[in-house]
Amino acid sequence: MKRIPGLIAALTLLMLSFAASAQQQGLEIDIVGGNASALPITVVPMPYQGSAAAPPTDVSSVVRADLERSGAFRTLPEASIVERPLRGSEIQYPTWRALRQDYIVVGRVVDGGEGAYRVEYELFDVAKQERLLGLAMTARASAMRDVAHQMADAIYEKIIGIPGAFWTRIAYVTATGRGNNTRYALMVADSDGYNPQTIVRSAEPLVSPAWSPDGSRLAYVSFEGGNSAIFIQNIVTGAREKVSGFRGINGAPSFSPDGSRLALTLSRSGNPEIYVMDIASRQLRQLTNTSSIDTEPTWSADGSTLYFTSDRGGRPQIYQVPAAGGSATRVTFQGSYNATPTISFDGKKIAVAQGSGNTYRIALMDSSLGSPRWSSLSPGSLDESPSFAPNASMLLYAAREGGRGVLYAVSADGRVRQRLVLADGDVREPAWSPYRTKR
């Protein structure tokens, strides 16, 4: 893919190169890295002890996979689990100390009544022989993966101290066919690639999906009708509305933290600039006004600031501007090309697509300890579109491998990477959802 200075995903919409036919199956995950310093934890298999048909989901396997791919934990392989307690009273702590395990999760699945299942589980600190967590959750068979992800979230939070982000979703774009016969689809799946749903199908490119803060809507760019336009779609009801279809570029939508506004890139004045739209009234406020290309706005968590990509200094870099209006200031100074910012929930980390020559990789600028520190998170040659998990422990990004698009999820320390790929076809434009609301 040729890079035009200052034009990132939002402005190179027609240059997306989707290859072989994409099936509408879930994304397959391969772990391609590991963290030797991760916390050892055992998730003991949790058998079904009811009288009805067993649930279709192996809850303990899902929990184990979630914790492993977070980068924070190193799970004991099931083949190495020499004892299989179901309750805390059955744990023989010398066994797990000998296996050098810090934590152990035990539990079982029983009938929950009215066709549902009840999962009872406990988390223990092996060294202290202390129960840290004991919970029970009831759900129908179709929601057992949700239960497993919520279990992993609770375990992660109890040990690490911040909420887990396993019970979340990801949005991405796939394509079917080649050339003029290409068909695009905007997809939503669980964070581990399971349970894919088609949200939009189109004969024209679909790009730049962005989640609303409550996770009920997606804003995206479509080229149906021959020109870029921004739509907002309710992913539950399927209702959608076009919110921006001005002549020229309509790109890079981003919801404000309260969901009432949309930051976007428009060239209605002749040059790509950053605007903020009040969604209810459609009123626009222009935030930038330069002769350069300003694009890819994204909000700070408190809604006070917009970060964006601009080549006003000659090469693409990240800038910030008050959401209420004012002067923009430059944020990134290391590297000649920084674009497509994603901001952590605390504002202390900014991940970007960082370019050097013809190589583009995901880089992280971390200001948690004061002065910004940079690290590289991806090893590819054409990596782009980073998107933080809501707890900032991991990022999604897009990559090109063998002529087709794949996704990677990488831990924020860069030690663990997972490859998410369709069995046949391309997948691009990832966006990690906010936390889901329990109902």
Side-chain angles (χ1 to χ4, degrees):
M1 182 186 298
K2 180 182 178 182
R3 292 279 170 163
I4 303 174
L7 296 183
I8 328 301
L11 302 183
T12 56
L13 303 177
L14 289 176
M15 297 176 66
L16 289 171
S17 174
F18 289 101
S21 64
Q23 306 295 321
Q24 299 305 321
Q25 74 274 22
L27 297 170
E28 299 176 359
I29 293 182
D30 298 318
I31 304 294
V32 293
N35 182 359
S37 64
L39 297 171
I41 188 169
T42 295
V43 181
V44 178
M46 301 177 189
Y48 173 59
Q49 296 185 320
S51 58
T57 299
D58 182 343
V59 170
S60 58
S61 291
V62 176
V63 173
R64 194 179 300 117
D66 281 348
L67 297 177
E68 182 74 31
R69 66 192 177 90
S70 73
F73 295 96
R74 184 173 68 255
T75 62
L76 190 67
E78 186 170 348
S80 300
I81 300 177
V82 295
E83 297 175 359
R84 302 199 172 194
L86 305 183
R87 301 169 181 83
S89 60
E90 300 172 0
I91 296 174
Q92 301 296 318
Y93 288 101
T95 299
W96 307 105
R97 286 198 295 268
L99 291 170
R100 299 183 178 180
Q101 297 299 290
D102 290 351
Y103 303 94
I104 183 171
V105 180
V106 297
R108 61 191 184 127
V109 182
V110 299
D111 291 330
E114 298 182 352
Y117 300 93
R118 176 180 171 89
V119 182
E120 302 170 350
Y121 73 99
E122 300 170 281
L123 167 68
F124 289 85
D125 184 309
V126 172
K128 297 179 179 179
Q129 301 185 29
E130 175 186 348
R131 190 173 86 155
L132 303 179
L133 196 63
L135 293 172
M137 303 178 68
T138 301
R140 298 278 182 179
S142 61
M144 291 297 281
R145 291 193 70 87
D146 291 341
V147 166
H149 291 317
Q150 291 175 57
M151 290 168 58
D153 282 344
I155 293 165
Y156 185 97
E157 183 171 12
K158 177 57 67 172
I159 297 173
I160 304 300
I162 61 173
F166 307 114
W167 192 51
T168 54
R169 292 172 291 185
I170 58 176
Y172 54 93
V173 175
T174 65
T176 300
R178 297 176 178 272
N180 294 333
N181 294 321
T182 302
R183 295 295 181 267
Y184 301 87
L186 174 60
M187 307 292 295
V188 168
D190 294 348
S191 67
D192 59 358
Y194 282 78
N195 298 323
Q197 302 174 40
T198 302
I199 305 302
V200 183
R201 297 183 189 274
S202 176
E204 303 297 335
L206 301 168
V207 295
S208 302
W211 290 91
S212 65
D214 64 359
S216 68
R217 296 171 293 166
L218 279 170
Y220 60 93
V221 177
S222 172
F223 274 85
E224 60 191 81
N227 187 58
S228 62
I230 296 174
F231 291 84
I232 294 178
Q233 182 133 352
N234 187 303
I235 65 174
V236 177
T237 66
R240 76 166 187 164
E241 55 181 341
K242 182 164 73 172
V243 296
S244 180
F246 298 102
R247 183 176 181 179
I249 293 169
N250 298 266
S254 176
F255 279 98
S256 64
D258 65 2
S260 68
R261 293 168 293 168
L262 202 67
L264 61 164
T265 298
L266 302 175
S267 62
R268 62 197 298 258
S269 63
N271 201 61
E273 306 286 0
I274 305 300
Y275 290 77
V276 171
M277 172 187 287
D278 179 88
I279 297 174
S281 67
R282 301 289 197 274
Q283 289 185 339
L284 288 169
R285 183 173 72 254
Q286 185 173 344
L287 292 188
T288 65
N289 185 11
T290 70
S291 59
S292 303
I293 295 171
D294 297 336
T295 185
E296 299 176 331
T298 187
W299 298 79
S300 62
D302 62 5
S304 66
T305 303
L306 280 164
Y307 296 82
F308 63 98
T309 304
S310 177
D311 65 353
R312 62 184 63 193
R315 296 278 292 171
Q317 295 291 342
I318 309 305
Y319 291 76
Q320 63 182 13
V321 64
S327 299
T329 57
R330 184 169 167 176
V331 175
T332 55
F333 292 90
Q334 177 171 311
S336 61
Y337 181 108
N338 292 292
T340 324
T342 180
I343 315 299
S344 65
F345 68 93
D346 58 5
K348 296 179 180 179
K349 298 182 179 70
I350 301 177
V352 299
Q354 190 172 79
S356 177
N358 292 322
T359 299
Y360 298 86
R361 293 175 175 166
I362 306 305
L364 179 70
M365 186 179 79
D366 188 348
S367 302
S368 301
L369 301 178
S371 299
R373 297 184 179 185
W374 284 89
S375 59
S376 179
L377 298 183
S378 73
S381 60
L382 190 54
D383 302 335
E384 57 186 1
S385 303
S387 177
F388 266 119
N391 65 358
S393 66
M394 301 185 72
L395 297 97
L396 276 172
Y397 67 90
R400 299 295 295 180
E401 289 185 353
R404 69 170 179 166
V406 301
L407 303 183
Y408 276 91
V410 60
S411 57
D413 60 9
R415 293 181 175 180
V416 176
R417 288 191 305 126
Q418 312 145 56
R419 184 172 178 264
L420 295 85
V421 60
L422 287 168
D424 183 21
D426 270 24
V427 55
R428 304 286 289 174
E429 300 285 313
W432 209 313
S433 82
Y435 289 117
R436 300 172 74 170
T437 301
K438 297 181 182 179
R439 293 180 175 85

